[in-house]
Amino acid sequence: MLVSLVCAILFFSGCITKESLSPNTINPNSTTGSNDSTEVIPPKPLTDSAVIRARVLNVQTQSARLEILDLISYDSDKRDGTIKLEKSDINNFVFQWGTSATTVDMPPLGPSNTDVNLSGIAVGDIIQANVSISKGERMVYQYEKTN
């Protein structure tokens, strides 16, 4: 009874907390427990970006097969420094906004002069595209027809 009274007084005075009374609770602010330096944080995926000029060979709803005609610019992830696209490569690319005509609503929300109008693509079109390559997936996030 006296121990319960002392614990109650200490608890209400702020000297101890409910967490310190529970033997199965880990206090995240405690200096004991897990050591942050031993936690394994997965590395960010390697991500390259490029601007390409390409011919559309095949079109699906969300992707297309592209033949790279020109590699206009390429920014390789500094961690590996390799170039994962080359002129004449033929690869499947996922289109972030799909391959049909669409308007991408950019800030501010609602119709504005910052919106991006994507005309859609068809077999034989020549496009200039901003792309990223990450985890083996090639993504087109913006493009415009050049023919």
Side-chain angles (χ1 to χ4, degrees):
M1 177 75 176
L2 183 60
V3 172
S4 296
L5 181 62
V6 170
C7 284
I9 292 171
L10 290 173
F11 177 74
F12 288 114
S13 68
C15 294
I16 62 172
T17 62
K18 185 176 180 181
E19 287 84 12
S20 64
L21 295 175
S22 174
N24 295 326
T25 303
I26 297 173
N27 183 350
N29 298 321
S30 171
T31 57
T32 61
S34 71
N35 182 351
D36 289 340
S37 65
T38 61
E39 289 183 33
V40 177
I41 299 172
K44 289 182 181 178
L46 298 173
T47 303
D48 294 3
S49 61
V51 177
I52 62 171
R53 196 169 73 83
R55 177 180 293 116
V56 178
L57 302 177
N58 181 302
V59 179
Q60 302 297 318
T61 305
Q62 295 294 323
S63 65
R65 191 159 183 82
L66 303 179
E67 175 187 9
I68 299 174
L69 303 174
D70 286 314
L71 199 56
I72 297 168
S73 67
Y74 196 98
D75 184 22
S76 178
D77 192 299
K78 308 265 185 281
R79 293 173 291 169
D80 74 345
T82 61
I83 294 181
K84 298 169 187 75
L85 292 176
E86 292 187 21
K87 186 176 179 178
S88 301
D89 281 354
I90 296 175
N91 293 298
N92 289 322
F93 285 79
V94 174
F95 280 61
Q96 181 176 7
W97 311 108
T99 56
S100 298
T102 189
T103 298
V104 181
D105 188 5
M106 302 298 284
L109 294 178
S112 69
N113 61 356
T114 59
D115 293 347
V116 177
N117 293 308
L118 300 174
S119 57
I121 59 170
V123 172
D125 285 346
I126 305 294
I127 62 171
Q128 182 168 313
N130 296 342
V131 301
S132 65
I133 304 98
S134 182
K135 294 184 178 180
E137 182 176 85
R138 294 165 180 88
M139 170 79 67
V140 172
Y141 53 90
Q142 186 175 356
Y143 65 89
E144 64 181 62
K145 290 183 185 180
T146 60
N147 62 339

